[in-house]
Amino acid sequence: MATNSRQYRRVSISALPNGKSMANGKTSLGLNGGSLSNGGPVQLIHHLEEGLEGSRLGERSTKASVNGGETHLLQHRSGLERKSSSPMLPAFMVSAPGKVIVYGEHAVVHGKAAIAGAISLRSYLLVTTLSKSRRTVTLRFPDISLDHTWNIDDLPWSAFSHPSKKKVYYDLVTSLDPDLIEAMKPHLSNISPSLPPETRKIHQASASGFLYLYLSLGAQTSPASIFTLRSTIPIGAGLGSSASICVCLSSALLLQIRALSGPHPDQPGEEASLQIERINRWAFVGEMCIHGNPSGVDNTVASGGKAVVFKREDYQKPPAVTLLKKFPELPLLLVNTRQSRSTHVEVAKVGALKKAHPVVTNMMLDAIDKVTESAYTLISSPSFNKDDPATLQHLGELIVINHGLLVSLGVSHPKLERIRELVDRAGAGWAKLTGAGGGGCAITVLKPEIKQETLRDLKAQLDAEGFEIYETILGGDGVGVLWPAVLKNGSDEDGGEEIDQEKFLKAIGNEGVERLVGVGADETREGWKFWRY
């Protein structure tokens, strides 16, 4: 049993994310200059927190304490004169989902539409504020063995705060500043020096995304903090793991500077959308640091959840993105072949096929586009009923058709075909490859009438053949917040179990992380709150 829990934490009431006094900035919805929009701007409210007033002789001082979701004020009289102080933020957590391509792989590379949806495999970020005597910021990502600490005062604040470079939290950033990238290099070059070059490259790319956001959104007066990441999303499997992490970092840093309001149950949809878009914009900046020229789709799905239709006809411009707010939550079996593959190689295969057989290949790409269009038309219809069995049957049949077309393009793999064969034999659902193909993952939308015994036998067979299996939900929530980092995990700690660095780092594997802090496969766990459109 943990002995370091604290019943009372010194916090500012206005800093709590379920309060309504946090900044709500002026911006219009849009994916990095793309076509996603919900219309008129929302008035910018600058909320400046002054901290707790110092108490004079005989006056009352105030402490804020958090117990569950309620804030209690404890008042006492002080016999000593005190100086003004700014309370430390409590430890808090944020979480964001991964994604799968549901329809439209490869066709999207050639200017067609595709649909991507959120999955309940997630990244989790714990933010711990250190005492004022500390002047360091640490990034820990044990899943890839990354652990690095910077001295806050040594970082290139002068470059990022220069009037010609400085950005504010509601700005739209569509490209990285070369001068700022150059200013960061000395602070990235000494990361993981003893590791192999390929590992160092991954560590430095991850750290660059964090550092660019930290320096853009923070200030030299930012509190010393530790940012600890854990993820249940397979890395390098085409499931949007880096975008999920960037959404976590973006939302955490925006919360630290009090630039987000909510989430809370009675938050208007327009206000929630504004917060999601702000998180999404800065997550895209992190993705640019890691990938160079990302589509922006992964971070959009990780921010808002549910699903999106995206289309990019001109690679010099951002993609057109349409939210699918009515996309149904569906039980999904995600199977990782553990077969390494290269997106570049698979995309080149289709390109070569198109060059050799342009008419036939274009017909297949057009057919995939029609699959995506059919799914979009059904889901966006005013009469759409997610509970109608015919709806799921229609969407499932489109999944099977999409897979067959991808096989014809030559981007499947024997392991992917074996998964589809086992699913078909069991009558468990509708299966297809997801992503680039050539290995990677397959998804199966499970039939509602499937018996648990049948599903158990299918999973046992897949496991016996060396596949990695995840039971997830497709089309669930986007970014969420646990503030403070306290959960009722059946412990006897007052007010619940406080999630600290030690517990978070000691959680073993995906199961340990999910058991400790996970929102659960059905994405319902007391304490976690989500922004919803």
Side-chain angles (χ1 to χ4, degrees):
M1 179 170 60
T3 58
N4 62 346
S5 64
R6 300 185 300 278
Q7 185 175 0
Y8 299 112
R9 303 168 187 81
R10 299 182 64 201
V11 301
S12 165
I13 299 171
S14 63
L16 294 174
N18 62 347
K20 298 182 180 179
S21 58
M22 303 175 76
N24 190 9
K26 180 179 180 181
T27 183
S28 60
L29 289 180
L31 175 66
N32 316 313
S35 65
L36 173 60
S37 174
N38 77 337
V42 179
Q43 183 180 2
L44 172 65
I45 303 172
H46 286 291
H47 175 74
L48 303 176
E49 179 179 79
E50 299 296 336
L52 298 180
E53 291 288 340
S55 298
R56 297 187 179 278
L57 183 63
E59 292 179 341
R60 292 183 297 178
S61 67
T62 304
K63 291 183 180 179
S65 71
V66 176
N67 186 0
E70 298 182 359
T71 303
H72 305 280
L73 297 180
L74 306 179
Q75 296 179 322
H76 64 87
R77 293 189 175 275
S78 171
L80 298 174
E81 187 167 345
R82 300 184 180 186
K83 295 181 180 180
S84 298
S85 63
S86 297
M88 287 169 51
L89 292 175
F92 67 94
M93 296 193 73
V94 291
S95 174
K99 74 92 178 62
V100 293
I101 304 295
V102 188
Y103 305 104
E105 292 94 338
H106 287 283
V108 72
V109 178
H110 298 272
K112 313 297 184 182
I115 293 177
I119 55 174
S120 55
L121 299 179
R122 289 178 159 269
S123 297
Y124 297 89
L125 172 63
L126 173 66
V127 182
T128 306
T129 303
L130 304 177
S131 66
K132 291 183 179 180
S133 61
R134 303 281 293 274
R135 295 299 300 151
T136 59
V137 59
T138 298
L139 178 64
R140 289 177 176 166
F141 192 1
D143 298 338
I144 61 170
S145 303
L146 171 60
D147 190 335
H148 191 78
T149 298
W150 294 271
N151 187 317
I152 293 175
D153 296 321
D154 291 342
L155 293 173
W157 295 107
S158 58
F160 277 79
S161 61
H162 190 276
S164 65
K165 306 290 186 182
K166 179 63 180 173
K167 302 296 182 184
V168 290
Y169 61 84
Y170 50 80
D171 279 341
L172 173 64
V173 180
T174 57
S175 62
L176 301 177
D177 189 311
D179 295 335
L180 300 183
I181 293 293
E182 191 65 29
M184 288 199 311
K185 283 184 178 179
H187 306 277
L188 298 171
S189 60
N190 62 341
I191 293 175
S192 307
S194 61
L195 296 180
E198 191 60 34
T199 304
R200 288 193 68 203
K201 183 178 178 181
I202 294 171
H203 286 192
Q204 289 175 351
S206 301
S208 69
F210 167 75
L211 206 55
Y212 200 101
L213 295 186
Y214 182 76
L215 290 164
S216 296
L217 292 170
Q220 192 166 352
T221 55
S222 295
S225 304
I226 301 174
F227 294 79
T228 306
L229 280 158
R230 301 294 303 271
S231 182
T232 65
I233 307 168
I235 296 172
L239 300 176
S241 59
S242 67
S244 173
I245 289 166
C246 287
V247 169
C248 286
L249 293 172
S250 169
S251 53
L253 291 166
L254 287 165
L255 283 168
Q256 275 198 325
I257 64 171
R258 301 168 179 86
L260 296 173
S261 64
H264 51 83
D266 59 344
Q267 187 171 33
E270 183 180 273
E271 183 181 290
S273 295
L274 180 65
Q275 316 313 309
I276 292 170
E277 178 60 16
R278 184 169 298 154
I279 293 167
N280 185 29
R281 286 182 171 189
W282 283 103
F284 180 75
V285 175
E287 279 279 86
M288 285 193 289
C289 291
I290 297 172
H291 295 297
N293 184 31
S295 69
V297 171
D298 287 9
N299 49 277
T300 300
V301 174
S303 298
K306 302 306 286 182
V308 300
V309 180
F310 61 99
K311 188 174 184 177
R312 195 172 195 176
E313 297 178 275
D314 182 352
Y315 271 75
Q316 300 304 311
K317 299 177 182 179
V321 179
T322 304
L323 297 173
L324 291 176
K325 298 181 183 180
K326 296 195 296 181
F327 193 92
E329 293 189 11
L330 301 170
L332 190 76
L333 192 67
L334 175 70
V335 183
N336 188 356
T337 64
R338 302 180 193 261
Q339 175 67 41
S340 61
R341 87 283 186 271
S342 165
T343 299
H344 176 75
V345 169
E346 299 306 315
V347 169
K349 278 185 189 178
V350 178
L353 190 67
K354 185 178 179 181
K355 185 176 181 180
H357 306 282
V359 175
V360 175
T361 304
N362 280 324
M363 286 178 65
M364 288 188 285
L365 294 173
D366 287 341
I368 292 175
D369 192 40
K370 293 298 182 184
V371 167
T372 303
E373 182 182 330
S374 180
Y376 169 69
T377 300
L378 175 65
I379 294 168
S380 59
S381 169
S383 60
F384 175 73
N385 181 2
K386 65 181 179 63
D387 298 319
D388 184 350
T391 295
L392 184 56
Q393 182 71 27
H394 184 98
L395 295 174
E397 289 171 352
L398 292 175
I399 283 175
V400 173
I401 294 169
N402 197 162
H403 179 78
L405 291 165
L406 291 168
V407 172
S408 298
L409 288 173
V411 296
S412 189
H413 185 277
K415 289 186 178 181
L416 290 166
E417 293 309 303
R418 178 57 176 165
I419 294 168
R420 186 193 56 78
E421 179 186 356
L422 292 173
V423 169
D424 286 352
R425 184 184 300 171
W430 302 275
K432 67 179 286 290
L433 67 84
T434 183
C441 295
I443 58 172
T444 300
V445 173
L446 296 172
K447 293 180 177 179
E449 67 271 16
I450 185 174
K451 296 180 180 178
Q452 285 302 308
E453 181 182 358
T454 301
L455 182 57
R456 185 170 60 249
D457 292 344
L458 172 61
K459 289 165 60 179
Q461 182 66 44
L462 290 165
D463 182 64
E465 297 192 20
F467 298 114
E468 189 175 28
I469 308 153
Y470 301 89
E471 282 192 73
T472 71
I473 297 295
L474 174 65
D477 283 316
V479 61
V481 180
L482 177 66
W483 185 301
V486 176
L487 283 168
K488 294 182 179 179
N489 284 341
S491 73
D492 56 0
E493 294 185 34
D494 290 338
E497 181 179 9
E498 184 174 347
I499 310 302
D500 58 22
Q501 289 285 323
E502 183 179 5
K503 292 176 185 175
F504 195 41
L505 289 170
K506 283 186 175 181
I508 299 174
N510 287 2
E511 290 185 3
V513 172
E514 286 290 349
R515 191 180 306 113
L516 181 66
V517 299
V519 300
D522 58 355
E523 303 203 323
T524 55
R525 188 168 185 175
E526 185 178 357
W528 283 100
K529 295 180 176 63
F530 301 89
W531 284 282
R532 293 183 173 120
Y533 292 111

